[in-house]
Amino acid sequence: MSICARVSEDLAEPLAGSAPRAAAWLLIEQTGPWGPRALTESHFHPELGRDLQELTRGTGVEIALIRRPGKHADRPPSGERIVYLAHTAPGRSWVRTAHLRDPHVLRDLDYAAVGAGDHGGFGADYEGDPLAFVCTNGRRDRCCALLGRPLASELAAAGHAQVWEVTHLGGHRFAPTMLVLPYGFTYGRLTAPTAKEILDATHRGRVVPEFCRGRSSWDRPGQAAELAVRQNHAVEEADALTVTQRPDPGAPDTWTVQVHHTDGRAWQAEVRRTAATPARPESCVKAPSNPDRYDVLSLGPLPAGVGATTA
């Protein structure tokens, strides 16, 4: 295991509350090698990449490039490419897919609407097996390549047809990491057996909290609180929980988070952000630092009839 992932695991750094924040995902097939900033440093159109970054800024839409596991010839792509557009809110998640010859049409999407849950008729409903995206971009962090690429290849060889490599999911030190759609949960520190367990659970509409970093629908305090409820109350159904949060005006870097179950149960958590110690590298190419961590200080049942906090 290379440095940043090994150090994070040795320090028992918690996974919960470390997932990327995205209300929606735009995932674009791009074969060949990727640079550290793959959207503008690959065989993808750099001007289009810059335009898409600007168009999605502040909309809640996260963009990444994807490719099939295996060897990647250093040549421009030809023909159609697959594009996935997904929204991850519980009970309102969807995945749309299209085969595009010219990705410049992606400029025409209303990304503010996508981030709010409206796909605007893009593509067609995706109705296949759950989609899995394993971070493998070694030009961004070597842990992702050394740990992620073998995992993606093994999953594909085991018959999981909808496994892709992806350029970036954040949290290099939690490698290998994986995003699953339609639900938007991100996982970390995976092995082939645990990743297969997660894909099977996702197929059944369930979550494996032990290896979960959080659901991208929620800000990080909400991610930590949701996973605390799942771990303490054995809630496995992917869409069973919704989260609302508000900052605590009397305690800096602290949030009150309410977690509501579709069966009527509800919990309230106090979540605090602190700087992780001792310092550790967030990436193999960065000097040691003190990344944020989100700890659930308390968790208890919310009395029936108590309204939700505001986000």
Side-chain angles (χ1 to χ4, degrees), residues 29 77-83 98-102:
E29 184 179 12
S78 59
E80 294 182 329
R81 69 184 77 209
I82 294 176
V83 175
H99 290 74
L100 302 181
R101 281 193 170 275
D102 182 6

Side-chain angles (χ1 to χ4, degrees), residues 179-249:
L179 166 72
V180 294
L181 295 175
Y183 303 115
F185 286 99
T186 303
Y187 293 88
R189 296 196 185 118
L190 297 178
T191 63
T194 57
K196 292 172 186 177
E197 176 187 354
I198 288 162
L199 292 181
D200 179 65
T202 304
H203 184 75
R204 295 181 287 112
R206 296 182 176 274
V207 180
V208 182
E210 181 182 358
F211 305 101
C212 195
R213 298 172 58 196
R215 188 168 190 158
S216 70
S217 304
W218 314 128
D219 290 331
R220 289 183 171 179
Q223 294 173 11
E226 180 193 13
L227 289 171
V229 169
R230 290 187 178 280
Q231 291 168 339
N232 284 278
H233 297 278
V235 179
E236 295 183 349
E237 299 89 342
D239 275 347
L241 301 178
T242 55
V243 170
T244 55
Q245 69 180 57
R246 61 175 173 81
D248 186 335

Side-chain angles (χ1 to χ4, degrees), residues 172 262 300:
H172 311 293
T262 52

Side-chain angles (χ1 to χ4, degrees), residues 107-172:
R107 285 195 180 110
D108 299 332
L109 285 173
D110 183 342
Y111 288 103
V114 170
D118 179 6
H119 54 67
F122 175 83
D125 285 334
Y126 173 77
E127 298 178 347
D129 291 333
L131 293 158
F133 303 92
V134 180
C135 191
T136 64
N137 189 358
R139 294 292 301 278
R140 194 170 182 119
D141 187 88
R142 63 179 178 175
C143 282
C144 295
L146 293 176
L147 302 176
R149 293 193 69 185
L151 176 64
S153 295
E154 184 165 348
L155 292 175
H160 295 283
Q162 295 303 331
V163 173
W164 296 81
E165 298 184 5
V166 67
T167 49
H168 185 52
L169 295 177
H172 311 293

Side-chain angles (χ1 to χ4, degrees), residues 284-304:
C284 292
V285 297
K286 292 183 178 180
S289 62
N290 301 96
D292 289 343
R293 58 179 287 169
Y294 293 84
D295 294 301
V296 177
L297 304 182
S298 64
L299 176 67
L302 193 65

Side-chain angles (χ1 to χ4, degrees), residues 34-53:
W34 298 328
R37 297 172 179 82
L39 203 59
T40 56
E41 298 175 342
S42 68
H43 287 306
F44 194 69
H45 309 273
E47 290 185 4
L48 176 58
R50 285 188 285 271
D51 287 348
L52 293 177
Q53 288 176 326

